[in-house]
Amino acid sequence: MSQPRIIVTGGSGKAGKWILKHFVDQGYEVINLDIKAPSDPVCRTIIVDLNDLGQVQNAISPFSGGERKVPVGIVHFAAIPEAYLFPNEVCFRNNVMSTYNVLEAAANLGISKVVIASSESSYGICFATEFINPHYVPIDEDHPQLPEDSYGLSKVVNEATAAAFHRRTGMQVVSFRLGNILVPESYAAIRANFDDTESRKRILWSYIDARDVAMACQLAIEKDGLGAEVLNLAADDSSSDRPTSELVARHLPDVEDIRVPLEGRISLLSNVRAKRILGWEAKYHILEQE
Ligand SMILES: NC(=O)c1ccc[n+]([C@@H]2O[C@H](COP(=O)([O-])OP(=O)(O)OC[C@H]3O[C@@H](n4cnc5c(N)ncnc54)[C@H](O)[C@@H]3O)[C@@H](O)[C@H]2O)c1
């Protein structure tokens, strides 16, 4: 039987590298769309500027080379991945237009399942000029999204775009509000800096291993019957060696609404919904990595 084709955007980047590998290992035919070539090619890459709808539509069409096949889904991770790296409007335009184009092209070609990378930054705490407290912890998907930066705003807009395409076409679009993505080579430096508990306060000490992200993407593509879903994606534990109750008492003393018992090193970015909807579990934990 011919392999199902999956399109991954941003596969030449940090998280995308692990997503490409995962889908290849799971028996998919994977096509990476990125503006730059990957350092470690594990599948075909088409160099595409996702800001150009024509390029996106052409690259994912069944006639883009190789066997004629409609992709079963698109995992869209390409983006400028943080605020203030580029001028504000460049980040906004790139992230918003690339996502719009991916969804428009998917709709036009009858591709009915898309995953997009949203971010915990959409809650607005990460890049706020003056620190803002979470309204409550752990933060779940009902927490208000209050970004002031163009990166977080682009992710809010992208989630709204996803919902619009679901309304227009019935397309299933899962937006993952990702915690800080860690790859195997990230862990040593973070562990070495555990004493500086302030440094990861603005991401509420959350993290998610890129390999767990990749598994969640596969589950979201293979699941049927979802609409436009937003799901936090974070490990169960925090990226600090301190008890979460201690971190909250020390760094978030004004947060009064604490909605679950803060046992052990529990994450302040709730993954309860992703577990329930997808049957997903985070397998990689910071204290168990080299
Ligand atoms: N890194 C994190 O901690 C984190 C946290 C939350 C969400 N995210 C999101 O996850 C995704 C992946 O993040 P990452 O850290 O792997 O980023 P990255 O910068 O390592 O990779 C992003 C890739 O997207 C490509 N890209 C950007 N704009 C493009 C365009 N217009 N056309 C084609 N390719 C383009 C880049 O070339 C790059 O290879 C992003 O959407 C990011 O916003 C990342």
Side-chain angles (χ1 to χ4, degrees), residues 1-289:
M1 208 177 83
S2 108
Q3 295 171 295
R5 177 176 290 171
I6 186 92
I7 305 289
V8 177
T9 77
S12 307
K14 182 171 82 167
K17 168 184 168 174
W18 292 93
I19 297 171
L20 296 182
K21 180 178 177 329
H22 178 88
F23 277 100
V24 168
D25 290 347
Q26 294 299 310
Y28 282 80
E29 182 204 351
V30 186
I31 301 179
N32 172 34
L33 309 188
D34 202 298
I35 204 155
K36 65 179 192 204
S39 55
D40 177 21
V42 294
C43 65
R44 186 151 75 98
T45 290
I46 306 178
I47 300 297
V48 173
D49 183 351
L50 298 167
N51 289 299
D52 181 332
L53 175 61
Q55 290 187 39
V56 183
Q57 192 145 317
N58 209 346
I60 70 176
S61 88
F63 302 101
S64 69
E67 190 186 343
R68 286 183 193 175
K69 215 188 280 181
V70 176
V72 295
I74 303 178
V75 175
H76 171 49
F77 267 57
I80 291 171
E82 58 180 279
Y84 307 127
L85 196 59
F86 286 80
N88 293 339
E89 92 287 4
V90 174
C91 174
F92 183 78
R93 185 170 57 233
N94 184 71
N95 292 359
V96 166
M97 283 316 302
S98 59
T99 301
Y100 183 89
N101 289 341
V102 164
L103 290 164
E104 182 83 47
N108 291 341
L109 292 168
I111 298 169
S112 60
K113 291 181 176 176
V114 179
V115 169
I116 68 175
S118 188
S119 176
E120 65 180 340
S121 298
S122 68
Y123 294 116
I125 297 164
C126 189
F127 295 111
T129 310
E130 299 291 332
F131 181 75
I132 55 169
N133 278 302
H135 290 197
Y136 58 85
V137 291
I139 286 187
D140 61 18
E141 293 81 354
D142 295 329
H143 191 283
Q145 292 174 295
L146 302 167
E148 62 181 74
D149 59 284
S150 78
Y151 171 71
L153 179 62
S154 76
K155 297 299 188 183
V156 174
V157 172
N158 289 345
E159 291 181 11
T161 306
F165 274 93
H166 169 66
R167 287 192 292 275
R168 189 199 293 179
T169 68
M171 181 191 294
Q172 169 173 313
V173 194
V174 176
S175 303
F176 284 127
R177 292 181 187 162
L178 298 148
N180 179 221
I181 300 172
L182 299 186
V183 291
E185 55 271 29
S186 316
Y187 286 107
I190 291 172
R191 277 210 307 269
N193 202 34
F194 269 162
D195 284 346
D196 180 9
T197 52
E198 179 76 27
S199 67
R200 295 175 68 78
K201 166 182 172 178
R202 278 171 173 261
I203 53 171
L204 302 180
W205 305 276
S206 75
Y207 77 103
I208 178 73
D209 189 290
R211 293 163 289 187
D212 284 324
V213 174
M215 186 68 223
C217 291
Q218 183 192 353
L219 290 168
I221 290 291
E222 292 181 354
K223 182 101 182 165
D224 293 319
L226 300 178
E229 280 286 348
V230 290
L231 301 173
N232 287 343
L233 216 54
D236 297 335
D237 58 343
S238 80
S239 58
S240 167
D241 61 349
R242 308 296 149 86
T244 300
S245 57
E246 184 186 314
L247 295 172
V248 170
R250 181 166 172 202
H251 294 288
L252 305 171
D254 297 330
V255 178
E256 291 174 357
D257 191 353
I258 297 174
R259 298 194 169 179
V260 302
L262 297 182
E263 287 165 359
R265 298 171 43 256
I266 186 174
S267 174
L268 295 178
L269 187 62
S270 170
N271 64 14
V272 170
R273 189 170 166 80
K275 285 179 164 175
R276 180 165 55 78
I277 302 276
L278 297 178
W280 167 87
E281 288 280 342
K283 286 200 312 198
Y284 296 90
H285 298 287
I286 190 165
L287 298 186
E288 295 161 11
Q289 303 301 306

